[in-house]
Amino acid sequence: MRALVLALAWLAVASAGLAQTFPTKVVKIITPYSSGIGPDLFTRALAETLEREWRQPVVVEPKAGGNGFIAIDALKKATPDGHELLVLANSHLTINPNLFKNVPYDPERDFVPVIGLYRAWFFIAVGADGPYQTIPQLIAGARANPGKLSYGTPYVGSPSHLGSAVFEYLTGTQMIHVPFKDQLQIFTSLANGNLTWAVATAASTAAMVKAGKVRLIAVAAERRVPSHPDVPTVEEAGGPKQFTVESWLALLAPRGTPQGLIRKIAADTQRALAAPEMRKRIDNLGFEAMPLSAEQIAGMIHGELKTNAEIIKRVGATPD
């Protein structure tokens, strides 16, 4: 018993020592996102802010593709010393495990939540010159042409995918799901008429909206969002009631990372999120900072795993 107590005490001292000296080298933040889209832009801004805090290089390493599996596998192989971290969305943590039969990770056992990062609401986007410029027009077009209208998503199991499937279910329509490897191609396809609509964030559509090629016709939220006060909710625009689609991102560490180090990284990240320049970048992206604790993120993962299992079963969403 005495040996166990001594061992635990030594681990606590070692953990505290790691936290005091962290970081001692380059910190790598792995993401499952393509360069240039909202989550990537956010992570790079966060890395710049943390770099000043830590006085060590902080690099973002995009590992897009494979429904996030590539990025996740990289973190699972990382040394649990805080120098390799991972940004994941609720889709990777709570949708994929319910949608795919063989997911090569356990969202509650293979990672250690560090801190929540941000929340983002999704919009219904259409081509600026497309035939469906309102929610009623989109629903009517889908009902008149079953299996003809198409929606694009960045990957199977994304909030866009599940949200679009729920929209089909609630409106009694049947449309074609087109997953893209490169999210930016979705909005090019919307602009040139090869795609009918998409569920996407304001940050990801910003460039094409500014260029006048894509329009946001409704926001899938309970109320209008501050970044786009002129865009009505889906319900206000004549669509299904209480139709919401959101994404939240969290910072994760490899399993086995000492708790003292987790607390250190979380506290530093919380300060970074509160920095004036970072808050401005978050606002410009149309996101909402969400610096929830590791315990709160773990609770959200556990709860949403159950909720999304029920939603996927009810609407019949599939990986196909």
Side-chain angles (χ1 to χ4, degrees):
M1 183 67 180
R2 184 170 180 272
L4 176 60
V5 171
L6 288 173
L8 292 173
W10 181 87
L11 285 173
V13 171
S15 176
L18 280 172
Q20 289 175 0
T21 59
F22 177 87
T24 58
K25 57 183 180 180
V26 174
V27 177
K28 182 191 301 182
I29 302 179
I30 303 166
T31 85
Y33 300 103
S34 302
S35 298
I37 64 173
D40 174 73
L41 296 173
F42 167 87
T43 306
R44 292 182 188 280
L46 178 63
E48 291 174 10
T49 309
L50 286 173
E51 192 168 282
R52 291 193 292 272
E53 170 82 18
W54 287 336
R55 298 182 181 181
Q56 288 283 358
V58 181
V59 299
V60 177
E61 186 171 299
K63 288 186 177 292
N67 301 100
F69 297 172
I70 298 171
I72 290 168
D73 186 62
L75 187 79
K76 287 175 65 177
K77 296 175 180 177
T79 302
D81 62 1
H83 290 91
E84 286 191 57
L85 303 168
L86 175 66
V87 168
L88 285 185
N90 53 329
S91 55
H92 305 105
L93 295 164
T94 69
I95 297 177
N96 280 356
N98 287 304
L99 193 63
F100 294 96
K101 292 182 179 179
N102 297 304
V103 176
Y105 60 91
D106 186 317
E108 296 189 278
R109 295 181 181 178
D110 288 343
F111 322 112
V112 180
V114 178
I115 187 173
L117 296 175
Y118 73 74
R119 174 181 280 112
W121 294 104
F122 283 68
F123 294 75
I124 304 296
V126 298
D129 298 323
Y132 309 108
Q133 295 296 306
T134 68
I135 295 295
Q137 287 176 356
L138 178 62
I139 295 172
R143 287 174 176 167
N145 302 280
K148 298 290 181 64
L149 276 64
S150 59
Y151 60 86
T153 70
Y155 56 90
V156 173
S158 62
S160 299
H161 177 205
L162 186 57
S164 300
V166 171
F167 187 85
E168 285 184 279
Y169 174 79
L170 293 176
T171 58
T173 57
Q174 182 181 356
M175 294 178 266
I176 302 171
H177 173 214
V178 184
F180 286 74
K181 292 183 178 179
D182 184 344
Q183 186 169 345
L184 296 178
Q185 293 177 355
I186 296 174
F187 313 117
T188 301
S189 295
L190 279 178
N192 63 27
N194 291 333
L195 195 66
T196 311
W197 65 290
V199 174
T201 64
S204 296
T205 58
M208 296 296 274
V209 169
K210 186 176 181 180
K213 297 181 179 181
V214 168
R215 289 187 64 235
L216 304 180
I217 60 174
V219 60
E222 295 176 352
R223 59 186 64 85
R224 298 191 185 200
V225 298
S227 62
H228 292 71
D230 296 332
V231 178
T233 66
V234 170
E235 182 174 348
E236 287 177 329
K241 294 182 178 180
Q242 299 180 333
F243 173 68
T244 61
V245 184
E246 68 166 334
S247 176
W248 52 261
L249 259 67
L251 188 65
L252 307 165
R255 181 181 180 182
T257 303
Q259 282 301 308
L261 189 50
I262 293 292
R263 289 191 290 271
K264 156 74 173 170
I265 297 171
D268 292 347
T269 303
Q270 186 169 15
R271 279 195 297 274
L273 292 172
E277 67 274 17
M278 191 64 200
R279 291 179 65 177
K280 184 176 181 180
R281 297 284 284 275
I282 293 171
D283 289 343
N284 289 341
L285 287 168
F287 298 156
E288 174 188 337
M290 191 190 74
L292 299 181
S293 69
E295 293 75 17
Q296 288 172 310
I297 293 299
M300 289 175 70
I301 293 171
H302 186 74
E304 289 191 19
L305 278 168
K306 293 182 178 180
T307 302
N308 285 330
E310 295 170 359
I311 292 173
I312 288 169
K313 183 178 180 179
R314 183 166 69 247
V315 306
T318 68
D320 300 324

